[in-house]
Amino acid sequence: MLKKLDKVQKEALAALDKAQDELALQQWGTLHIGRKSALMEIFIGMGKLSEEERPQVGRKANEVKQALENALEARTFELKQEAIKTSLESELLDVTLPGRDQTRGRLHPTTQTMRRIYSIFAEMGFQVYLSRDVETDEHNFQLLNFPPHHPARDMQDSFYTTNPGVILRTHTSPGQIRAMREYSEENPENPPPVRIILPGMCYRYEQVTARSEMQFTQVEGLAVGYNITFGDLKGTLTDFARRYFDPNVRTRFRASYFPFTEPSAEMDVECFVCGGGGCTVCKKTGWLEILGSGMVHPMVLRNGGYDPEVYSGFAFGMGPERLTMLRHRVDDIRNFWRNDLRFLEQF
Ligand code: DAH
């Protein structure tokens, strides 16, 4: 009987080594230490043993039972450890690898340029005035001294709406009229002088090419007050160019024509690509045109509610996309609406 117990123990331990998972362990328990196991049968059959055999077999059977229970516990623990180890190995982490960059949002290059323009003019005392994108033909053209059928209208082909006389603004200049009418002697909250910039989107019904888009931004400027002269215009815009491009940049004013200013001028900056020597960016002229400007036309002052005998003013308009293109040598304006991250991420 004692030998039989040894055999039971040996066989059970050997079987336990082969158990590889929880289910196998359960089955092993039923088979080797369960109620119908060989071991339990020995316990049950003990009553039939002789007086002297019984205590020996009893002790031995208890020892075997204890040994098997301990072995089961040990094997259970061992299998759990193995499972943890394999799962750790499969998730091997190389702590020496460099981290991944967070993808961060950024401002569109046009927005960045606009903000630089705002801050430069803010330092010079200009406030931002927001005017509407949807305009009347009257504000966009007539009050700015473009009479109906005036050929200058052809320079700015409009997007019309289904409302007669309502269009998308082709430039930010109509905001001049709205602002002047709001900043008046009669309005104690906004008395003159007017010193504002008017940023915003403009729309032109145009063929989209590398040089022209049908949607683009402009920043308009307007100063109206007593004794404002062309000298103020030149000083303000030259200072702007120096702050925007380079403190030593050279500028020049060329006579031009806009219906809403008289006299009118365009401002050029010396080409910063070739330093004025002539290259493909400046088309061999040595100069880059950056904005239109002029003294506010008497008709426009009057339409804004200002007596041209008493007041004078200057105005200007520039294109942030164009400024961005010049500064960063972008050769195709369509990039600004393409939403191609390879382009946008460079700014
Ligand atoms: N509105 C003009 C355009 O879109 C730009 C411009 C020129 C604005 C001269 C002005 C100005 O205020 O004085 O082409």
Side-chain angles (χ1 to χ4, degrees):
M1 192 55 86
L2 292 178
K3 274 196 194 130
K4 192 174 172 197
L5 276 168
D6 276 336
K7 194 172 160 235
V8 163
Q9 178 170 4
K10 218 169 132 199
E11 278 174 8
L13 290 179
L16 188 57
D17 271 343
K18 295 199 184 99
Q20 292 300 341
D21 54 35
E22 212 174 313
L23 182 66
L25 290 175
Q26 258 175 33
Q27 288 168 347
W28 181 91
T30 315
L31 195 64
H32 296 279
I33 47 179
R35 273 188 291 126
K36 289 182 180 152
S37 61
L39 180 61
M40 285 304 153
E41 261 157 33
I42 291 172
F43 274 110
I44 293 162
M46 281 220 306
K48 294 182 194 134
L49 296 177
S50 67
E51 290 284 329
E52 57 204 77
E53 236 187 335
R54 200 180 299 146
Q56 283 177 26
V57 173
R59 195 179 319 112
K60 178 74 177 169
N62 273 320
E63 277 168 20
V64 172
K65 185 168 174 260
Q66 193 61 54
L68 294 187
E69 280 170 359
N70 289 347
L72 175 62
E73 204 180 308
R75 181 71 182 140
T76 307
F77 181 75
E78 198 176 284
L79 282 181
K80 267 200 192 126
Q81 292 300 104
E82 266 171 36
I84 291 171
K85 197 168 151 228
T86 40
S87 89
L88 278 183
E89 270 166 5
S90 70
E91 292 166 22
L92 248 194
L93 186 68
D94 182 351
V95 293
T96 65
L97 282 175
R100 282 192 201 98
D101 263 352
Q102 288 279 7
T103 46
R104 261 178 299 153
R106 61 185 69 229
L107 294 175
H108 190 277
T110 306
T111 306
Q112 293 185 32
T113 299
M114 303 266 269
R115 291 193 178 183
R116 286 194 65 216
I117 296 171
Y118 301 163
S119 77
I120 292 170
F121 280 106
E123 283 173 6
M124 296 198 253
F126 285 75
Q127 285 186 307
V128 172
Y129 184 97
L130 292 179
S131 190
R132 59 187 70 188
D133 286 33
V134 181
E135 263 299 359
T136 60
D137 180 277
E138 193 186 11
H139 282 82
N140 196 81
F141 292 118
Q142 292 164 50
L143 294 171
L144 291 172
N145 202 33
F146 288 82
H149 313 299
H150 190 283
R153 282 180 176 232
D154 294 346
M155 282 158 43
Q156 303 186 5
D157 273 332
S158 318
F159 279 111
Y160 292 88
T161 67
T162 44
N163 272 356
V166 178
I167 64 171
L168 300 186
R169 66 176 171 197
T170 59
H171 53 172
T172 43
S173 305
Q176 290 188 25
I177 301 289
R178 297 195 180 273
M180 279 192 277
R181 288 182 173 179
E182 200 173 312
Y183 285 76
S184 69
E185 302 282 17
E186 288 91 60
N187 183 351
E189 278 176 32
N190 278 325
V194 181
R195 209 154 44 160
I196 52 170
I197 53 171
L198 307 102
M201 193 71 77
C202 304
Y203 311 84
R204 289 188 196 172
Y205 184 57
E206 264 183 49
Q207 181 72 42
V208 175
T209 66
R211 324 195 92 245
S212 73
E213 254 292 357
M214 56 186 180
Q215 263 187 101
F216 53 93
T217 59
Q218 281 191 344
V219 177
E220 186 90 10
L222 177 68
V224 178
Y226 299 115
N227 304 318
I228 291 185
T229 66
F230 199 85
D232 296 316
L233 179 160
K234 280 185 80 172
T236 305
L237 294 177
T238 303
D239 196 37
F240 167 76
R242 290 183 182 149
R243 292 179 193 230
Y244 184 82
F245 290 104
D246 182 296
N248 299 313
V249 77
R250 295 211 300 152
T251 52
R252 75 174 183 188
F253 287 80
R254 269 180 300 105
S256 183
Y257 172 77
F258 301 101
F260 37 90
T261 46
E262 181 59 37
S264 304
E266 280 170 310
M267 184 170 87
D268 298 341
V269 295
E270 195 172 42
C271 180
F272 40 79
V273 177
C274 60
C279 67
T280 52
V281 175
C282 61
K283 297 198 213 75
K284 309 257 180 243
T285 62
W287 296 92
L288 299 165
E289 181 214 315
I290 65 158
L291 54 81
S293 64
M295 299 307 290
V296 182
H297 194 287
M299 286 277 282
V300 175
L301 280 174
R302 205 172 286 121
N303 290 339
Y306 285 83
D307 181 353
E309 298 297 325
V310 181
Y311 289 98
S312 60
F314 67 80
F316 57 88
M318 59 181 85
E321 282 88 356
R322 178 168 168 79
L323 289 178
T324 310
M325 289 171 80
L326 291 175
R327 207 156 156 259
H328 298 286
R329 309 201 198 149
V330 177
D331 60 5
D332 191 329
I333 197 171
R334 288 171 292 195
N335 282 318
F336 291 95
W337 281 105
R338 252 182 206 142
N339 275 346
D340 186 333
L341 286 178
R342 289 169 303 178
F343 172 73
L344 298 173
E345 283 177 347
Q346 296 178 64
F347 297 91

